[in-house]
Amino acid sequence: MSQQPAAQPKSVLRGHRTQVHATTFIRGNQRLASGDADGFVVLWDLTIMRPRAVWRAHAGAILGISGWGDDKLITEGRDNRLIVWKIAAADEENLSTHLPLDESAPERPQPWILHILEVNTMNFCSFAQCSIASEIDLSTSDEVLLAVPNTLATEAVDIFHLPSQTRQGTVHLGSKTEKKGMVMALSLFWRDEFLFLVAGYENGLAVVARRRHKGAYDILYKYQAHSQPILSLDVGPDKEYFLTSGADAIIAKHPIPHANPTTPLVPVSTKIVTSGGDSQRPEEAPKKSTDPAAGPTATSTPDTTSAPRGLPKKVVNMETSPLKVINTKHSGQQGLQVRSDGRIFATAGWDSKIRVYSAKTMAELAVLKWHDIGCYAAAFASLDTNKKDDAADTPTNNHHKAEEQDKTESSDSNGAAVIAANKPRELSVKDKRIKMAKEAHWLAAGSKDGKISLWDIY
């Protein structure tokens, strides 16, 4: 019985001299931004698979990279800097296309810098971002919130606002005496008009906290599924769950609990199940911070917001049960990302393999092997835009539609009205490439070899 040939990437992007640490799709999947260990950023044009802009963004390794609208890019490096760059399509013309591998290239100009934040990057933790309010989409928002590890207390999280560059507060997720280690992964998002913060720690603990309207944070969930540091986490598109992967072989699916802030809730006993077995221990109620400089502090104690006399005070349950925990037998999976349709997620493995899992069952669906050495980054192209960004939205086709609308009835020699033919026009080569880039189910994998493999899957 013949075996099917191993899957091969649709394309391989070569150009980084050192390991690729971060990748992200921007501008409706027409661009892929990648960052490496030397601090270089490459903006790849996926319609032609060539670089459009190359510059050295940081003096240290890139930890995180993300788009902000269609004209801004956020990067974070080991030089303790988080930078917002202005890089619209028109700005690419003034930038270098000499790849980092070209050591003889002249000095590469940088894009315009809009903002610089001095942040803590000792944790190797990438930033998280979301819009300023729940009703505002990040792609169109002029303001964003950023979550980064605190500079002094590496287990705490700072929330910054852009473009004001002000710190809105410091969040301590639990007792300061609790030995969680450093924050290793973060996510920040809105649900039901509340701001949620998810954090993964050095000791393998995952925590979900929700901000009250008064600014303090309540811990809604806490569980330690990993025996090694959490390397990455991502929230499902429905914001009902999140996934964590670590330096161990565990991948865990955790709930994002709903807690009604207006209804008095009955407190339940809190407990933590260790990843090494079924042992359980009561969780100590953390003390609230009394240091005013520490900012709003998250606690798992009852919410003491005042209630009308005669009614019980509001309390918030803290859940401690994951949805599912699997032992993949493959340690060191990071760069975890859930695809925008919520069907699958992928991880980049230290063993050089990219693994694709079902988000529902967590069953392994595919193992993509092309790189010879370890992979650090994985990113899915967004599928949200594919429903509306079809051939009818391409620039050339819009021009054809306008021409057809401008056509008027003409008369033949007998005065009879003749309606201009409305024949579909074939797309140009350029528009076909744009359509393919937008609609491909891309999965990008960045490796220690400096190459990025592009896979078109599911």
Side-chain angles (χ1 to χ4, degrees):
M1 186 175 179
S2 62
Q3 293 182 345
Q4 289 185 342
Q8 293 295 310
K10 290 290 184 181
S11 185
V12 177
L13 306 177
R14 298 172 171 88
H16 286 283
R17 186 174 56 201
T18 55
Q19 54 261 42
V20 178
H21 282 177
T23 54
T24 188
F25 290 86
I26 62 173
R27 294 194 208 150
N29 304 331
Q30 293 186 59
R31 297 289 187 271
L32 175 72
S34 57
D36 66 24
D38 282 342
F40 278 98
V41 170
V42 179
L43 204 59
W44 304 90
D45 185 341
L46 296 184
T47 65
I48 58 175
M49 301 298 172
R50 295 289 186 272
R52 285 291 191 186
V54 181
W55 73 98
R56 191 171 190 185
H58 295 273
I62 301 290
L63 292 180
I65 188 167
S66 179
W68 178 8
D70 288 333
D71 61 347
K72 293 183 287 294
L73 191 72
I74 306 176
T75 63
E76 183 183 24
R78 284 282 289 166
D79 56 359
N80 298 315
R81 282 182 155 194
L82 185 147
I83 303 178
V84 181
W85 309 89
K86 180 184 180 299
I87 183 160
D91 300 321
E92 296 174 358
E93 299 176 1
N94 302 319
L95 299 175
S96 173
T97 57
H98 292 283
L99 288 162
L101 274 175
D102 186 358
E103 298 183 10
S104 63
E107 185 176 353
R108 303 169 181 86
Q110 291 184 334
W112 187 262
I113 295 177
L114 297 176
H115 310 287
I116 297 179
L117 286 177
E118 300 294 333
V119 297
N120 169 29
T121 57
M122 185 179 69
N123 295 30
F124 292 91
C125 175
S126 177
F127 66 95
Q129 71 182 112
C130 71
S131 61
I132 190 66
S134 59
E135 66 275 9
I136 301 176
D137 188 80
L138 181 61
S139 62
T140 59
S141 176
D142 293 329
E143 301 176 79
V144 295
L145 297 176
L146 298 171
V148 295
N150 179 260
T151 303
L152 299 178
T154 56
E155 81 286 350
V157 179
D158 283 338
I159 308 295
F160 283 93
H161 171 270
L162 288 178
S164 69
Q165 300 184 195
T166 57
R167 185 173 64 178
Q168 294 199 333
T170 299
V171 185
H172 294 272
L173 296 177
S175 171
K176 292 183 179 181
T177 60
E178 186 179 3
K179 295 182 179 180
K180 302 185 293 293
M182 298 186 295
V183 176
M184 301 295 292
L186 291 167
S187 182
L188 191 68
F189 61 94
W190 292 91
R191 190 184 72 182
D192 302 330
E193 299 185 356
F194 285 92
L195 183 65
F196 281 74
L197 174 65
V198 180
Y201 285 91
E202 189 178 8
N203 71 340
L205 181 70
V207 179
V208 176
R210 185 197 61 191
R211 188 178 70 178
R212 300 184 217 147
H213 289 301
K214 291 188 177 182
Y217 283 74
D218 292 310
I219 293 180
L220 303 184
Y221 173 83
K222 181 186 289 188
Y223 185 76
Q224 184 179 350
H226 302 271
S227 59
Q228 297 292 325
I230 290 177
L231 298 177
S232 58
L233 64 84
D234 197 20
V235 174
D238 59 3
K239 300 175 184 177
E240 295 292 330
Y241 70 91
F242 70 100
L243 295 154
T244 57
S245 66
D248 54 13
I250 297 296
I251 295 179
K253 187 175 185 179
H254 311 264
I256 301 175
H258 287 264
N260 190 335
T262 61
T263 305
L265 302 175
V266 179
V268 296
S269 60
T270 57
K271 58 191 177 183
I272 283 187
V273 182
T274 63
S275 58
D278 297 329
S279 61
Q280 299 178 350
R281 62 177 176 82
E283 182 67 13
E284 295 179 359
K287 298 178 181 179
K288 292 186 177 180
S289 173
T290 57
D291 181 7
T297 301
T299 72
S300 59
T301 55
D303 180 353
T304 57
T305 304
S306 59
R309 183 171 297 180
L311 292 178
K313 293 181 179 180
K314 291 178 287 186
V315 295
V316 176
N317 291 343
M318 185 181 72
E319 294 190 20
T320 57
S321 298
L323 299 175
K324 192 168 187 178
V325 177
I326 62 170
N327 187 340
T328 66
K329 310 297 184 183
H330 307 288
S331 59
Q333 297 186 63
Q334 64 183 72
L336 186 151
Q337 189 172 80
V338 185
R339 197 167 68 178
S340 59
D341 63 355
R343 294 178 56 196
I344 58 177
F345 68 93
T347 62
W350 293 350
D351 61 358
S352 78
K353 297 179 177 65
I354 303 297
R355 291 180 169 83
V356 181
Y357 299 87
S358 165
K360 182 177 180 180
T361 66
M362 298 183 69
E364 186 180 275
L365 302 178
V367 179
L368 308 177
K369 176 71 172 75
W370 185 85
H371 301 275
D372 292 327
I373 51 181
C375 294
Y376 296 142
F380 279 112
S382 173
L383 302 186
D384 295 340
T385 57
N386 293 344
K387 295 179 182 179
K388 59 183 179 180
D389 288 332
D390 53 20
D393 292 323
T394 59
T396 301
N397 208 50
N398 283 338
H399 178 64
H400 292 162
K401 289 165 65 178
E403 287 182 338
E404 292 164 2
Q405 291 172 356
D406 290 340
K407 291 180 180 178
T408 57
E409 296 182 357
S410 60
S411 298
D412 61 11
S413 59
N414 297 324
V418 178
I419 306 299
N422 187 15
K423 295 182 180 179
R425 305 289 185 94
E426 287 191 8
L427 295 177
S428 67
V429 174
K430 178 180 178 181
D431 290 341
K432 286 180 179 178
R433 287 174 175 171
I434 293 175
K435 185 175 184 292
M436 183 194 70
K438 288 183 175 182
E439 295 184 353
H441 292 195
W442 291 128
L443 169 59
S447 171
K448 190 177 179 181
D449 59 14
K451 302 179 180 68
I452 301 168
S453 55
L454 278 174
W455 310 77
D456 189 0
I457 61 169
Y458 299 109

